[in-house]
Amino acid sequence: MEKPRALTQVAKAVALGISVLLVVIPFWSVIATSLADQQTINDSGGGMVMWPRGVSLAAYETVLSGGVVTRAVLISVGVTVVGTLLSLAATAGLAYWLSRPGALAAKPMLMLVLGAVLFSPGLIPSYLVVKEFHLLDSLWSLILPVLVNAFNVIVMRAFFQELPKELFESAAIDGVGAATTLFRIVLPLSKAVLAVIGLFYAVAYWNAFFNALLYIQSSEKWPMALVLRTYVVNQTTIGGDQGATEALPPQLPLQMAILVIAIVPILLVYPFLQRHFAKGVMIGAVKG
């Protein structure tokens, strides 16, 4: 391949710089506003600021003082960790089963998985299923209905099928069972796809609020995403035991502080998975 011309390299650098600024500037404005004092907010006309002249941690002290937001963060962390681990276990097990030639009922199950990609269950049937299993107002209603994502199963199955067949043949000759093969051979070689799928599940669990809105009635069980929606979108605070709310005056730094707290955990997780993520996103892109 020929070396790109200088003009092409400059154009790429400019385009990349603009893209980075479009991402960084809004995020920086959110952080700056969360740290701004009331005088800075008043001087800006009550809107977002780019550089706080007076730094104040009052908003973070308010939301992290052991109240609603702190409890919601702990709930979201628990749901995300437990849900991601269970989803990875279920997805890996199902994908491994579907990837093995001659597995019992693998083809009918694969057709069901493909059907789940094309057709999603309706809102009312999903609610009735959750109700029949007595999961309403339970944190398990945020995990079990979305435990397995069909698209993730297909991606992981494709990765398992690309592993060298000689590994499985050697394991079969040595008399190794399917479970041992999965845990001792397949999963150690699948760190890339596990990191990618795990990140997908973690982001989905952390950001999900609609299921909580449907299934959770008690406000003390609300996850962070639903609390964020209540504070930022509705500009209300949570009170009472059944999700009752009372009006708040606009408090922009408080809202931005909650937004930062909701975003930062995922941003902190990504650097640890970046090495595997860069490899995992190419799964299935190149054959041979």
Side-chain angles (χ1 to χ4, degrees):
M1 295 180 63
E2 297 181 359
K3 184 179 180 180
R5 293 181 298 178
L7 182 61
T8 302
Q9 292 179 327
V10 171
K12 291 181 178 179
V14 171
L16 179 61
I18 293 175
S19 301
V20 171
L21 289 176
L22 290 176
V23 174
V24 172
I25 290 177
F27 186 61
W28 170 253
S29 180
V30 169
I31 296 177
T33 304
S34 69
L35 295 172
D37 57 13
Q38 189 60 47
Q39 183 61 42
T40 303
I41 297 296
N42 294 337
D43 294 342
S44 66
M48 305 287 288
V49 299
M50 290 301 299
W51 190 263
R53 290 190 297 273
V55 176
S56 174
L57 297 177
Y60 290 95
E61 292 175 356
T62 300
V63 300
L64 296 177
S65 60
V68 173
V69 176
T70 304
R71 183 174 63 242
V73 169
L74 295 177
I75 290 174
S76 289
V77 169
V79 170
T80 300
V81 172
V82 174
T84 300
L85 293 177
L86 292 178
S87 293
L88 276 177
T91 301
L94 180 57
Y96 178 70
W97 172 32
L98 297 178
S99 67
R100 294 300 86 212
L104 179 63
K107 290 185 177 180
M109 180 58 66
L110 179 59
M111 295 304 297
L112 289 177
V113 173
L114 294 174
V117 175
L118 299 175
F119 306 100
S120 60
L123 182 61
I124 295 178
S126 299
Y127 183 86
L128 293 178
V129 169
V130 171
K131 181 179 179 181
E132 287 299 318
F133 279 94
H134 305 288
L135 295 177
L136 290 180
D137 206 29
S138 169
L139 294 180
W140 287 109
S141 64
L142 307 180
I143 298 176
L144 296 181
V146 292
L147 185 65
V148 177
N149 182 279
F151 177 78
N152 292 339
V153 172
I154 294 174
V155 172
M156 193 172 290
R157 172 180 176 270
F159 183 89
F160 289 163
Q161 287 180 322
E162 293 180 2
L163 294 176
K165 294 182 175 60
E166 292 79 8
L167 294 174
F168 300 98
E169 293 173 356
S170 300
I173 293 174
D174 293 337
V176 176
T180 304
T181 303
L182 174 62
F183 288 106
R184 294 291 184 87
I185 299 177
V186 175
L187 294 184
L189 296 175
S190 306
K191 294 180 180 179
V193 69
L194 291 174
V196 173
I197 301 302
L199 184 61
F200 288 164
Y201 276 125
V203 172
Y205 280 117
W206 182 264
N207 292 331
F209 77 93
F210 192 64
N211 281 356
L213 188 64
L214 289 177
Y215 306 138
I216 305 297
Q217 287 82 39
S218 302
S219 60
E220 63 269 13
K221 297 181 181 179
W222 282 4
M224 185 64 199
L226 189 53
V227 172
L228 174 65
R229 176 183 179 274
T230 303
Y231 271 85
V232 177
V233 178
N234 297 341
Q235 294 188 357
T236 56
T237 184
I238 303 169
D241 296 329
Q242 300 299 323
T245 59
E246 58 182 11
L248 271 181
Q251 299 185 41
L252 195 57
L254 177 65
Q255 296 169 1
M256 294 304 104
I258 298 173
L259 186 58
V260 170
I261 294 172
I263 295 175
V264 165
I266 295 298
L267 293 181
L268 294 178
V269 169
Y270 177 75
F272 297 99
L273 301 178
Q274 183 178 9
R275 177 169 58 91
H276 299 296
F277 190 82
K279 179 181 177 181
V281 294
M282 298 300 295
I283 293 170
V286 179
K287 300 293 183 181

